[in-house]
């Protein structure tokens, strides 16, 4: 992600993955922290990458592998349960599917355009549906969320 891929006011990040580009809702707190992180570490141009090392260089995808290895060394239960970025994605999508349905989980994951069974042709969710799920999961309001009522709370418990 680059500075241009962050819309702090709307709580969105532009993701380029698996051959597609899409806007993904994120909490306003996360958007603001990403912006502050990028600027504190030297990102100035709109094309500068958001996530950076202390020396100002953009991080690589291998950085996540190294971080999870270090976390697992300090917290053995993380290593024992195989917690990783992919694990967090899977757990998040499972929660979204259980609370908001299959269509919203597909949209949250960015799988809305992938071919599937004929049933998936009729199961659609939009960015507001994804924002509703995000708001419920984080307990924070989101500018694009349309749900009425009190946001839920992330009900995940990690057993050690």
């Amino acid at each position: 992600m680059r500075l241009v891929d962050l819309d702090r006011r709307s709580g969105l990040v532009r993701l380029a993955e698996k051959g597609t580009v899409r806007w993904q809702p994120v909490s306003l707190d996360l958007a603001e922290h990403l912006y502050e992180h990028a600027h504190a570490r030297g990102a100035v141009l709109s094309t500068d990458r958001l996530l950076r090392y202390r020396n100002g260089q953009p991080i690589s995808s291998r950085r996540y592998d190294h971080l999870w290895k270090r976390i697992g060394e300090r917290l053995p239960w993380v290593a024992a349960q195989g917690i990783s970025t992919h694990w967090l994605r899977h757990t998040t999508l499972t929660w979204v599917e259980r609370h908001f349905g299959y269509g919203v989980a597909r949209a949250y994951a960015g799988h809305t355009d992938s071919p599937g069974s004929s049933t998936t042709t009729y199961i659609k969710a939009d960015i507001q549906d994804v924002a509703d799920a995000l708001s419920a999961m984080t307990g924070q309001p989101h500018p694009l969320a349309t749900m009425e009522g009190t946001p839920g709370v992330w009900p995940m418990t990690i057993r050690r």
Side-chain angles (χ1 to χ4, degrees), residues 133-149:
L134 174 73
S135 183
M137 185 172 25
T138 63
Q140 298 178 10
H142 191 278
L144 299 179
T146 58
M147 257 179 45
E148 297 288 330

Side-chain angles (χ1 to χ4, degrees), residues 10-12 24-26 100 104 108 126-138 140-147:
S10 298
L12 296 169
Q24 176 75 20
V26 297
F100 287 85
V104 177
Y108 204 106
D126 59 22
I127 198 165
Q128 285 80 23
D129 296 319
V130 173
D132 286 342
L134 174 73
S135 183
M137 185 172 25
T138 63
Q140 298 178 10
H142 191 278
L144 299 179
T146 58
M147 257 179 45

Side-chain angles (χ1 to χ4, degrees), residues 1-3 5-15 24-39 50-51 64 85 88 92 108 134-135 137-143:
M1 291 182 295
R2 305 160 301 162
L3 281 175
D5 298 324
L6 178 64
D7 181 343
R8 296 181 352 221
R9 190 172 53 86
S10 298
L12 296 169
V13 292
R14 185 175 22 217
L15 300 177
Q24 176 75 20
V26 297
S27 71
L28 294 177
D29 283 346
L30 177 58
E32 192 59 34
H33 286 295
L34 285 170
Y35 178 80
E36 290 170 4
H37 169 85
H39 277 278
L50 286 176
L51 301 176
Y64 296 108
T85 304
L88 293 173
T92 300
Y108 204 106
L134 174 73
S135 183
M137 185 172 25
T138 63
Q140 298 178 10
H142 191 278

Side-chain angles (χ1 to χ4, degrees), residues 6 39-40 71 94 103 112 114 154:
L6 178 64
H39 277 278
I71 292 168
T94 298
T112 54
S114 62
W154 177 262

